[in-house]
Amino acid sequence: MGARAARGADVTTVPSAGPTRPALGALLRWPVLAVAVGVWESAARARGSVFFPPPSRIVRHAYDLWFSGPVSHLFLTDAAFDTIGPSLGRMATGFVLAAVAGITLGVAIGRSRRAWALCDPVVQFARAVPPPALVPVFVVVLDFGTPMQVASIVFSAVWPILVNTAEGARATDPLRLDVAAVLRLTPAERLRYVILPSALPRVFAGLRLSLSLTLILMVFSELLPGTENGIGFLLTDAQSRSDLLTVWAVLVLLGVLGHLLNTGLLAVERRLLGTGRKT
Amino acid sequence: MLRLDSLSQSYGEHRVLRDVSLSVPDGQLLCVVGPSGCGKSTLLRTIAGLLPVREGAVTIDGTLVTGVPDRLAVVFQDYGRSLLPWLSVRDNVALPLRRQGLRRAERRAEAEHMLERVGLEASARRSPWQLSGGMQQRVAIARALVVRPSLLLMDEPFGSLDARTREDLEDLLLEVHRTDGATIVFVTHDIDESVYLGDRVVVLSAGPDSRVARDLPVGLPAQRDQIATRGLPEFVALRAEVGRAVRAPARAAVLGPADAEPEQAR
Ligand SMILES: Nc1ncnc2c1ncn2[C@@H]1O[C@H](COP(=O)(O)OP(=O)(O)OP(=O)(O)O)[C@@H](O)[C@H]1O
Ligand SMILES: [Mg+2]
């Protein structure tokens, strides 16, 4: 059943990606990016369209908007605190709640044959629903505002974590469970020393997928009426004012933010899993 | 006293052990040999309370074994997988001591002491996966011995070691057995080893439905020596007898009785 679930993989499962990236990849990444930005820059200048400002102006604008603050504020402006702050807060709250719920339920479902049999169809169904489609439901239940936004984030981000944790916990080497029994570990110790570490690579695979979903849902939920701040709100607001430069700056900001968060998560993963560990 | 009374085990329809009765007095070092797949690991897993008893009974000092018994330690056949790669060598060895209510520093000290005994004090802080197979095996043995078990089950623990390490560990085991006096059930496929180590050698017949084919006391002097003991006429005779018992069905079926000779000459 695990194999079938893994093969029917959609966005919620990834093959465990090795944390080591070859040096060649790192060397190739930057020239390609530089060339892409260069082409974009010259094309945008040649066209001179207000809808497609050159990247240099976008970056300059982003800098003026958010990163020209005083040193004491880490160069962040008040506007940065007002837009990026609330968004990151929602993301962090949603992500942490999703991680806690996903890992807890995932271990419970993964370790119990009966719970797996009961929950698997529900989980498969729930994770198949495109997350943004659920936002209107949360709007009805919770009304507009931060609770609704956090709820949409949690409800979409929880599935990849849950499914991956459950599969990871289920795949715990039976010999290691025998070892735990012979060493007379308590259930809590067994969880801490055997099951969780076995599932950890899969847990992180889930967390990485969830992190990108969190970013998407954060922006999406902030696009809805009833929002007063946040990155998504700034996006709609700038659009309604035909302030294309700000729209572009927001897009760049989102890209950078997503990249930074992912890098941070990878660093945590590398620390926890070690580099040469074989399970 | 460990007792098996008409123990039968099977995995579903697949019958493994049939009517195995044994009693192992306290402090005995019992070696179990038998052809591959005859159910040696199954026997140990049953004694360890990891497999429910199908038929018959396993008792330790008169109490029925239903779960993992107290003061039991096991060295698993697949020792590499039995270590936890996310803990250091020292923490792997210290893990079973949590049951004994020791403080962290005490657990670590005990673990380091045990690692010293198996000659791995220098690797205490490394990860199991950074060690060679033989070193991992010694970690698994240290983890079993650290709780000072009264019943120690070992499943082909020296199977993949080079001759020298193997001899050292055999002598270490004999020394531990002399000083700590644990009851040891030692599974091996090496006939020489079973006679060298054991106070007694039990031969299981080939499966399915394997039984106790031979039950031989080893009358060798308690103080054993790798060179001298293996040269004793009694040792050679016993080895031949165990060898014949292990090969019995195969020999009867395909070869002639002359098959016993190369065993003796070896
Ligand atoms: N979990 C299991 N499920 C089904 N059959 C099993 C299982 N474990 C072992 N068996 C079967 O039971 C028989 C005995 O296995 P066991 O591992 O006890 O043999 P063994 O004597 O330890 O062999 P070896 O010397 O190769 O380690 C084998 O035929 C094996 O195929
Ligand atoms: Mg075996």
Side-chain angles (χ1 to χ4, degrees):
Chain A
M1 193 192 257
R4 182 187 55 71
R7 238 180 290 120
D10 50 2
V11 285
T12 44
T13 40
V14 289
S16 53
T20 43
R21 200 182 278 276
L24 184 68
L27 273 179
L28 284 176
R29 259 184 309 167
W30 298 112
V32 172
L33 184 69
V35 169
V37 172
V39 170
W40 181 7
E41 178 82 32
S42 44
R45 282 187 188 209
R47 278 297 294 276
S49 158
V50 284
F51 300 113
F52 296 102
S56 56
R57 279 189 59 207
I58 296 171
V59 170
R60 174 79 216 174
H61 187 62
Y63 172 80
D64 290 340
L65 273 179
W66 301 306
F67 304 111
S68 50
V71 186
S72 58
H73 286 124
L74 292 166
F75 301 105
L76 293 170
T77 60
D78 290 345
F81 280 105
D82 292 344
T83 33
I84 306 175
S87 289
L88 279 184
R90 286 171 198 134
M91 261 189 92
T93 315
F95 187 65
V96 168
L97 288 177
V100 170
I103 293 172
T104 314
L105 292 174
V107 168
I109 291 175
R111 285 316 313 160
S112 152
R113 208 178 271 270
R114 194 171 304 155
W116 180 280
L118 285 173
C119 298
D120 192 46
V122 182
V123 170
Q124 300 301 335
F125 174 78
R127 71 185 243 208
V129 177
L134 283 166
V135 171
V137 178
F138 286 108
V139 172
V140 172
V141 179
L142 293 171
D143 213 348
F144 295 106
T146 299
M148 174 279 285
Q149 288 159 337
V150 171
S152 349
I153 292 173
V154 172
F155 199 80
S156 25
V158 75
W159 304 114
I161 304 175
L162 193 158
V163 170
N164 278 284
T165 305
E167 280 172 8
R170 225 164 89 92
T172 306
D173 189 335
L175 177 67
R176 298 230 166 100
L177 294 173
D178 282 351
V179 170
V182 166
L183 302 188
R184 306 172 67 75
L185 300 186
T186 61
E189 287 166 350
R190 192 176 53 163
L191 191 66
R192 156 90 178 71
Y193 291 106
V194 180
I195 298 171
L196 278 181
S198 302
L200 209 55
R202 291 299 301 271
V203 172
F204 269 98
L207 288 175
R208 264 184 276 132
L209 288 163
S210 290
L211 189 65
S212 46
L213 279 177
T214 306
L215 190 70
I216 296 171
L217 263 289
M218 179 268 282
V219 176
F220 188 79
S221 66
E222 286 174 355
L223 296 179
L224 298 172
T227 319
E228 291 104 43
N229 53 21
I231 300 175
F233 170 75
L234 183 62
L235 195 62
T236 33
D237 185 55
Q239 191 194 22
S240 66
R241 290 186 279 105
S242 298
D243 180 1
L244 262 296
L245 202 55
T246 301
V247 170
W248 279 102
V250 167
L251 295 181
V252 170
L253 176 70
L254 285 172
V256 170
L257 214 54
H259 180 70
L260 286 181
L261 290 171
N262 202 43
T263 308
L265 189 63
L266 271 178
V268 174
E269 178 175 352
R270 242 171 260 186
R271 249 204 91 88
L272 279 180
L273 294 188
T275 39
R277 188 186 103 177
K278 303 180 202 79
T279 36
Chain B
M1 168 94 103
L2 165 69
R3 274 182 68 107
L4 314 183
D5 286 306
S6 324
L7 173 73
S8 298
Q9 276 298 32
S10 51
Y11 295 100
E13 288 296 286
H14 186 80
R15 299 205 305 270
V16 181
L17 298 172
R18 178 100 206 138
D19 219 9
V20 174
S21 294
L22 273 179
S23 57
V24 189
D26 283 344
Q28 187 168 67
L29 201 170
L30 168 71
C31 287
V32 177
V33 291
S36 182
C38 73
K40 304 183 294 296
S41 298
T42 306
L43 182 73
L44 287 197
R45 285 167 48 78
T46 309
I47 298 172
L50 295 171
L51 268 185
V53 173
R54 277 296 166 95
E55 264 175 64
V58 179
T59 54
I60 293 175
D61 297 331
T63 13
L64 215 55
V65 170
T66 47
V68 177
D70 265 334
R71 298 201 58 206
L72 167 101
V74 180
V75 177
F76 289 91
Q77 185 169 9
D78 201 343
Y79 55 87
R81 265 165 66 219
S82 86
L83 299 174
L84 304 178
W86 37 84
L87 296 181
S88 69
V89 163
R90 182 183 58 186
D91 290 348
N92 263 284
V93 176
L95 194 57
L97 294 170
R98 296 182 75 93
R99 279 275 70 47
Q100 309 193 341
L102 298 178
R103 274 181 285 117
R104 188 188 172 89
E106 294 170 320
R107 293 201 300 265
R108 292 204 154 155
E110 286 273 310
E112 270 164 16
H113 174 70
M114 204 62 236
L115 283 169
E116 220 167 281
R117 272 185 94 174
V118 298
L120 281 179
E121 62 275 18
S123 305
R125 279 146 202 275
R126 298 171 79 190
S127 281
W129 49 263
Q130 293 173 317
L131 307 185
S132 71
M135 291 161 93
Q136 290 178 9
Q137 184 63 296
R138 284 185 274 162
V139 177
I141 291 168
R143 185 175 68 181
L145 294 179
V146 79
V147 292
R148 307 195 184 289
S150 59
L151 176 58
L152 174 59
L153 309 178
M154 304 178 90
D155 199 348
E156 303 193 16
F158 308 148
S160 58
L161 302 178
D162 64 283
R164 183 62 210 286
T165 315
R166 185 183 183 119
E167 289 178 359
D168 288 349
L169 285 177
E170 285 169 358
D171 290 334
L172 172 72
L173 181 71
L174 286 175
E175 185 207 311
V176 166
H177 181 235
R178 248 195 319 274
T179 52
D180 295 10
T183 309
I184 302 178
V185 180
F186 187 100
V187 164
T188 174
H189 58 250
D190 185 320
I191 292 158
D192 261 58
E193 184 172 69
S194 71
V195 176
Y196 179 72
L197 287 177
D199 298 324
R200 172 184 175 193
V201 178
V202 160
V203 181
L204 294 180
S205 62
D209 279 345
S210 65
R211 297 163 299 102
V212 176
R214 285 307 290 272
D215 188 343
L216 297 161
V218 177
L220 298 169
Q223 187 68 45
R224 303 199 183 167
D225 176 86
Q226 289 289 354
I227 311 286
T229 304
R230 286 175 199 268
L232 293 173
E234 300 96 299
F235 181 91
V236 177
L238 263 169
R239 189 180 66 184
E241 196 161 356
V242 174
R244 266 194 295 273
V246 170
R247 281 149 212 244
R251 188 189 56 185
V254 275
L255 303 164
D259 181 48
E261 301 319 313
E263 178 60 39
Q264 231 148 358
R266 199 164 61 136

